[in-house]
Amino acid sequence: MRASTVRGPVAVIDQSTTSTRRRGLLGLICLALLTAVIAAAPGSASASSGILEFGMSPTTTQAGGHPNVTMFVHYLNRNNPPSETCFCDDVKTITFHFPTGFIGDPHSQAICSLAEFSLAACPISAQVGQVESLLFGNRIVLPLYNLETHPDQAGQIGFIFPLTPFPNFIDLRARTDSDYGLDSATFPIPHPIVFDTIRVNIWGVPAFPENDFYRFKTPLTVFGECGLFAICGDGTVTNFPSPAPPKPYLENPTTCGGSLESSVDLVYYNGKRYHAEEPWPATTGCTLLTFNPSISVTPTTDQADTASGVDVDLKVPQAQSPTQPSPSQIRTTRTTLPAGFSINSSAADGKVACAQSETGIGTLGPAHCPEASKIGTLTLDVAALPGPIDGALYLGEPLPGEKYRVVLAADGFATHVKFTGTVRTDPNTGQLTMEFADLPQSPMQEFNLHIFGSERGLLATPTKCGTYPVESEFVPWDGVLPTQASTSYFTIDRGPDGGPCPGASRPFTPDFGAGSNNPTAAMYSPFNMRVRRPDGDQNLARLTVEAPKGVLASLRGIPYCPQAALNQISLPSYGGLAELASPSCPAASQVGTVVSGAGAGTHPVYNDGRVYLAGPYHGAPLSLMVVIPAVSGPYDLGNVAVRVALRVDPDTTKITAVSDPLPQIMEGIPLRTRSIQLSLDRPHFTLNPTDCAPAAVRASIVGAEGAAVSLGAHYQASNCTALGFKPKLALRLKGKKKRRGNPALHAVLTTGSDEANIGRTVVALPSSELLDNGHIKTICTRVQFAANACPAGSVYGTAEATTPLLDQPLRGPVYLRSSNHQLPDLVAAMHGQIDVNLIGRIDSIHGGLRTTFASVPDAPVSKFVLDMAGGSKGLLENSENLCRSKHTRAAVKMTGQNGARLNRRVKLLTGCGGSGGRR
């Protein structure tokens, strides 16, 4: 339709006193000959083209007012030598740039269809201004119409050169690459049209009577009431009022106190470009503006402690009056959600960020954010567009100081809206504040946002039922009116999964399980532990796990993770991605893996981590460092680093793991830890017991609100009876051999591999050896022993145990320690990587000395050496001369952890000559 032959009137008004009608005829004749003449006309300007004069001015400076605006540009045109016919120096396009915040609303006015436009039959109500130019010294005035738009246009106006096939269209569009200001850009101007001056007058309220004087009667005719091609509005003929009600078409910026600027750009067919700028009068009267936005924020669920989306409805009243200034546009929205309504830690799983280069910000084109970054949908209703436009909300690329960003993008009517928002989190509570700052200066009247809910909802509702306030602040663009505040409310009235609301304290019903992959006795097998809680329960806060006796670990050849590495992992500034790329602890110290589930809803996010062996911690000889890089989608929250003290009972070697408090919030996101599954899966690390009696893994689990539960998981090794049991004991007396002498005792116990561990040992010395009560002098009390403060005089020997689980033997003194029995206990307190106490009860049987080790730890010991002092510290006394004694064998009874029994008569070597075992 733009190629249709359009014929319409033109007014030619002489600059002198010659009559309008006469000059109109001359102008018509000249214009009709334009196509034939202009190609042969010599250039009227110098060889260089450019803008000679430019101006834009409103008729009022009232902020939000509706001025008539005049745009004027005088430029050089047609500079080719006559021999050239490409017309390369013709102006191709002219683009006027209105100041930031200046708005045109073509959809508030009557529309001239393209069919009507092609027939020069636009209704009077569709005229929104006039276009003026000079031709041969005559001013030509043409009507400017508000035209029908294509789906890819925001607005369009146009005018026609009469008696020519040249309709001229002007595209109205927003500068979505910068300040979202209004541009009016001509379509390519046909070559024969060589005006070098153009003035466009656009009416702020087209239907106002003041514009009747300049309104063209329609349908346009060559001859009509006004005469030959004359304006019906030249002051001598009746004016033509518009039948449409007066509605604003133009609107001044609603900001005061700053400098404004207008500009023009010319593009020539030869590619040359020229730019000119002109100050725009500062707007005034911002105190007369109104500003009354409101917002409603509602979760997509009314259930507590549940994954949720949110619906946001923002309304900014834009009541448009032809006689009153429009309301101030909204500059910033700031909404603070109630405490407890937080980002769901599982929401970003599987998501990616929309990179800054993909947002389209700074370009006229649309955003190209990945679908996997999409977290919501939106509808944006701007008064200056034909209708609402749809769009989406995307996760934005985290930037320094702005970790949680969102990108808002909406497209429609050749307008591509793109801007970012920031979500700030309270680092201690996770409370959210969403802010969209420096919004485009456009008459947005409604904004509807839906953030996806479902089981991977971006947000999580508060953990308790109740009515919650949403506090909002709105900053206007006017710079004068105060910030407006608004409060809306939503209600949480059900528990998770639609159950009853939790009471004053949430329930705490975690589930616990533990065990070995392969429970075969004396076998190395991964040991697994799992704890989980349902939605609606208190968060997991602390764990204490007690392993059954005999469940041990081989520390041989495993270095501790260095303290410097542990410190680095725990730094808040140390990222999870950095840890994933290059683990801080050496691989040689890794002993297990861990998987943690976090987030509200039935689909938590699962993060993998590692478990490292570390050194002493909180009084325990060993510890574990559990490291879980908290990386989900585009977000790096750092590392969940939990130190676990490994307490080893020295009397039983039973291991109890005591965790530090579990983190509850990281980078402002409550973790809502749902499950922890830990596996000590290093090859040949965890060792099964050799006792197949039923046992249990005990756990004490504490909730974040103080609740505590004790749970157990059945544990039982298998095939214990298949284990051998053949330990060997050698006994030797050293020193004085005469009667009443006090010899030293040297005992060596050895065991084979893959045997059941010793559970009980009784050694009864022959009657030749008695207890010398006179040498029992200093005894360590139990209090002293517990404080590792036994007096030196209570030491009566030394002991050393070699185990395949440790790199170095355990060594330590042998004390006499106070006991509940008649005689003191004999305690071998061995120290090393761990501490182990071997406790023996001393008594006599058949006149001889007997020592009973009733509860030996279920731990493999390849060699145990006991040396008891002789002489003045000797506890043994010869009842006869050892070299003449016939009592040379000790009675040894051993019981394996698997129940196997071994009774032997062990020779007591004395070092005497001859035979008979007295050597």
Side-chain angles (χ1 to χ4, degrees):
M1 298 182 69
R2 293 176 182 172
S4 302
T5 299
V6 182
R7 300 180 183 275
V10 61
V12 182
I13 304 177
D14 191 357
Q15 303 292 328
S16 66
T17 58
T18 309
S19 70
T20 300
R21 185 181 299 270
R22 179 179 172 187
R23 288 297 188 183
L25 178 60
L26 175 60
L28 173 61
I29 296 172
C30 292
L31 186 60
L33 297 175
L34 183 63
T35 302
V37 174
I38 198 62
S44 58
S46 63
S48 61
S49 300
I51 300 172
L52 300 179
E53 188 178 0
F54 161 69
M56 289 181 71
S57 61
T59 56
T60 177
T61 61
Q62 170 62 51
H66 313 295
N68 291 356
V69 175
T70 298
M71 302 174 288
F72 169 80
V73 62
H74 179 199
Y75 52 90
L76 297 178
N77 204 6
R78 186 54 60 82
N79 295 311
N80 296 80
S83 60
E84 296 184 10
T85 59
C86 71
F87 305 135
C88 295
D89 280 347
D90 287 352
V91 170
K92 183 177 181 181
T93 60
I94 301 173
T95 302
F96 290 102
H97 306 286
F98 289 89
T100 302
F102 189 90
I103 294 165
D105 184 6
H107 314 289
S108 65
Q109 306 301 310
I111 301 293
C112 176
S113 70
L114 295 182
E116 292 172 322
F117 187 56
S118 66
L119 298 174
C122 289
I124 288 178
S125 56
Q127 187 179 348
V128 294
Q130 57 191 19
V131 176
E132 303 176 21
S133 190
L134 292 177
L135 180 65
F136 300 108
N138 297 282
R139 185 166 67 97
I140 302 175
V141 182
L142 306 170
L144 184 66
Y145 292 107
N146 189 38
L147 300 179
E148 174 186 2
T149 59
H150 290 291
D152 61 347
Q153 284 183 301
Q156 181 174 234
I157 54 180
F159 60 95
I160 302 169
F161 282 101
L163 302 179
T164 73
F166 304 128
N168 285 262
F169 297 92
I170 299 175
D171 194 25
L172 302 180
R173 59 195 181 208
R175 297 189 292 270
T176 57
D177 59 338
S178 55
D179 61 355
Y180 286 79
L182 176 65
D183 284 350
S184 63
T186 66
F187 281 74
I189 301 171
H191 282 293
I193 300 176
V194 291
F195 298 115
D196 56 13
T197 300
I198 187 168
R199 182 187 302 271
V200 180
N201 300 306
I202 305 180
W203 302 329
V205 183
F208 264 177
E210 65 189 49
N211 300 317
D212 294 350
F213 180 85
Y214 306 101
R215 211 180 312 275
F216 281 70
K217 181 181 179 181
T218 57
L220 298 174
T221 58
V222 176
F223 294 97
E225 297 180 10
C226 302
L228 183 64
F229 305 108
I231 297 179
C232 294
D234 60 0
T236 62
V237 188
T238 305
N239 296 341
F240 292 100
S242 171
K247 293 182 180 180
Y249 179 54
L250 302 179
E251 177 184 319
N252 268 337
T254 60
T255 179
C256 294
S259 60
L260 298 175
E261 186 178 87
S262 61
S263 61
V264 68
D265 281 292
L266 270 63
V267 177
Y268 286 75
Y269 276 96
N270 59 11
K272 292 181 179 180
R273 296 173 179 270
Y274 295 91
H275 176 80
E277 299 174 353
E278 179 74 14
W280 180 278
T283 51
T284 58
C286 280
T287 55
L288 300 179
L289 304 182
T290 60
F291 184 63
N292 190 31
S294 63
I295 194 170
S296 170
V297 180
T298 308
T300 57
T301 178
D302 58 1
Q303 298 179 11
D305 196 19
T306 301
S308 175
V310 69
D311 290 315
V312 179
D313 296 307
L314 171 65
K315 290 180 171 58
V316 186
Q318 291 290 334
Q320 299 292 318
S321 167
T323 57
Q324 298 295 323
S326 297
S328 175
Q329 297 150 13
I330 191 167
R331 179 170 187 169
T332 297
T333 69
R334 189 178 301 112
T335 299
T336 301
L337 298 176
F341 200 161
S342 63
I343 294 176
N344 188 4
S345 57
S346 64
D349 187 33
K351 295 290 186 183
V352 300
C354 182
Q356 194 70 12
S357 60
E358 297 172 316
T359 64
I361 294 175
T363 73
L364 291 171
H368 296 285
C369 292
E371 187 66 20
S373 66
K374 187 175 180 179
I375 58 172
T377 59
L378 60 92
T379 300
L380 188 62
D381 189 358
V382 179
L385 295 177
I389 59 176
D390 296 326
L393 190 71
Y394 302 93
L395 290 180
E397 180 180 16
L399 298 177
E402 286 187 274
K403 182 177 289 288
Y404 310 119
R405 300 171 64 248
V406 292
V407 177
L408 185 151
D411 303 286
F413 308 110
T415 302
H416 305 293
V417 177
K418 302 95 53 180
F419 54 87
T420 61
T422 299
V423 179
R424 297 184 177 87
T425 59
D426 186 297
N428 299 313
T429 66
Q431 188 171 16
L432 300 175
T433 298
M434 299 182 294
E435 180 175 280
F436 291 94
D438 291 330
L439 295 170
Q441 296 187 52
S442 63
M444 179 179 67
Q445 52 193 5
E446 190 162 355
F447 171 71
N448 306 114
L449 172 66
H450 170 71
I451 298 177
F452 298 144
S454 76
E455 292 304 324
R456 283 286 176 86
L458 184 69
L459 304 172
T461 57
T463 59
K464 302 290 181 65
C465 291
T467 299
Y468 292 89
V470 178
E471 306 290 343
S472 299
E473 292 181 334
F474 310 102
V475 180
W477 265 109
D478 58 71
V480 176
L481 296 177
T483 296
Q484 298 293 311
S486 172
T487 303
S488 63
Y489 298 87
F490 66 83
T491 300
I492 300 295
D493 56 14
R494 293 190 296 166
D497 300 320
C501 286
S505 179
R506 287 190 293 167
F508 192 56
T509 57
D511 173 59
F512 175 76
S516 300
N517 282 2
N518 179 1
T520 301
M523 293 287 291
Y524 286 101
S525 172
F527 183 84
N528 307 312
M529 182 276 296
R530 181 208 69 238
V531 61
R532 59 191 177 193
R533 68 165 185 90
D535 261 346
D537 268 23
Q538 297 180 28
N539 297 324
L540 301 173
R542 188 190 291 267
L543 301 175
T544 299
V545 178
E546 180 182 296
K549 289 190 293 185
V551 176
L552 303 173
S554 174
L555 307 180
R556 181 181 289 273
I558 305 177
Y560 295 154
C561 180
Q563 187 61 45
L566 300 178
N567 293 341
Q568 175 174 275
I569 295 170
S570 301
L571 289 174
S573 59
Y574 183 62
L577 289 174
E579 178 64 19
L580 285 172
S582 179
S584 302
C585 293
S589 64
Q590 183 177 346
V591 297
T593 55
V594 64
V595 178
S596 174
T602 58
H603 292 79
V605 57
Y606 292 96
N607 289 93
D608 297 333
R610 296 181 174 94
V611 183
Y612 298 96
L613 183 67
Y617 186 66
H618 285 180
L622 303 167
S623 63
L624 299 175
M625 175 59 93
V626 180
V627 183
I628 305 173
V631 177
S632 181
Y635 299 120
D636 182 353
L637 306 183
N639 294 281
V640 177
V642 179
R643 195 83 177 265
V644 181
L646 297 179
R647 299 174 181 171
V648 182
D649 188 323
D651 296 341
T652 63
T653 65
K654 177 184 284 190
I655 299 174
T656 301
V658 182
S659 79
D660 278 352
L662 305 182
Q664 299 299 308
I665 188 169
M666 294 185 69
E667 293 288 328
I669 297 182
L671 297 182
R672 299 180 187 243
T673 301
R674 298 286 301 282
S675 64
I676 300 171
Q677 184 165 321
L678 184 145
S679 179
L680 299 175
D681 53 9
R682 181 189 179 107
H684 297 93
F685 180 65
T686 51
L687 181 66
N688 294 336
T690 60
D691 181 356
C692 288
V697 183
R698 302 289 180 185
S700 175
I701 309 173
V702 180
E705 297 171 31
V709 296
S710 295
L711 301 173
H714 176 77
Y715 185 92
Q716 189 170 12
S718 61
N719 297 331
C720 288
T721 57
L723 298 174
F725 185 65
K726 296 179 181 181
K728 296 178 181 180
L729 177 66
L731 300 172
R732 179 184 293 273
L733 294 176
K734 298 180 180 180
K736 294 183 179 181
K737 301 176 179 61
K738 294 181 179 180
R739 182 177 178 273
R740 300 184 69 85
N742 297 107
L745 174 66
H746 179 71
V748 178
L749 174 70
T750 57
T751 64
S753 60
D754 299 325
E755 291 185 0
N757 299 322
I758 298 172
R760 176 185 172 89
T761 298
V762 180
V763 178
L765 296 178
S767 58
S768 61
E769 298 303 315
L770 304 176
L771 178 65
D772 190 343
N773 290 313
H775 282 186
I776 300 176
K777 296 179 180 179
T778 305
I779 297 175
C780 182
T781 66
R782 288 179 177 268
V783 174
Q784 290 172 325
F785 187 85
N788 196 25
C790 289
S794 63
V795 177
Y796 291 86
T798 60
E800 178 181 289
T802 301
T803 170
L805 304 183
L806 302 175
D807 288 314
Q808 301 296 327
L810 302 177
R811 299 182 180 90
V814 178
Y815 298 102
L816 285 184
R817 190 185 71 178
S818 58
S819 170
N820 295 329
H821 306 102
Q822 184 178 1
L823 295 174
D825 290 335
L826 186 73
V827 180
M830 294 171 285
H831 307 289
Q833 202 166 3
I834 62 172
D835 295 339
V836 175
N837 299 325
L838 186 62
I839 304 171
R841 176 189 173 189
I842 302 173
D843 65 358
S844 62
I845 183 172
H846 305 307
L849 184 65
R850 180 174 66 178
T851 304
T852 301
F853 298 93
S855 181
V856 180
D858 188 0
V861 176
S862 56
K863 184 178 182 179
F864 176 75
V865 178
L866 175 69
D867 285 297
M868 298 301 297
S872 61
K873 291 288 291 185
L875 297 178
L876 299 179
E877 182 182 14
N878 299 330
S879 63
E880 54 185 278
N881 190 316
L882 296 182
C883 293
R884 298 174 184 176
S885 175
K886 297 180 181 180
H887 305 94
T888 59
R889 291 186 178 271
V892 178
K893 296 181 179 180
M894 294 185 181
T895 304
Q897 295 283 351
N898 63 347
R901 296 178 182 275
L902 181 66
N903 297 330
R904 288 184 177 177
R905 302 283 293 176
V906 178
K907 292 180 181 180
L908 186 63
L909 303 179
T910 61
C912 295
S915 59
R918 294 193 289 268
R919 291 175 296 174

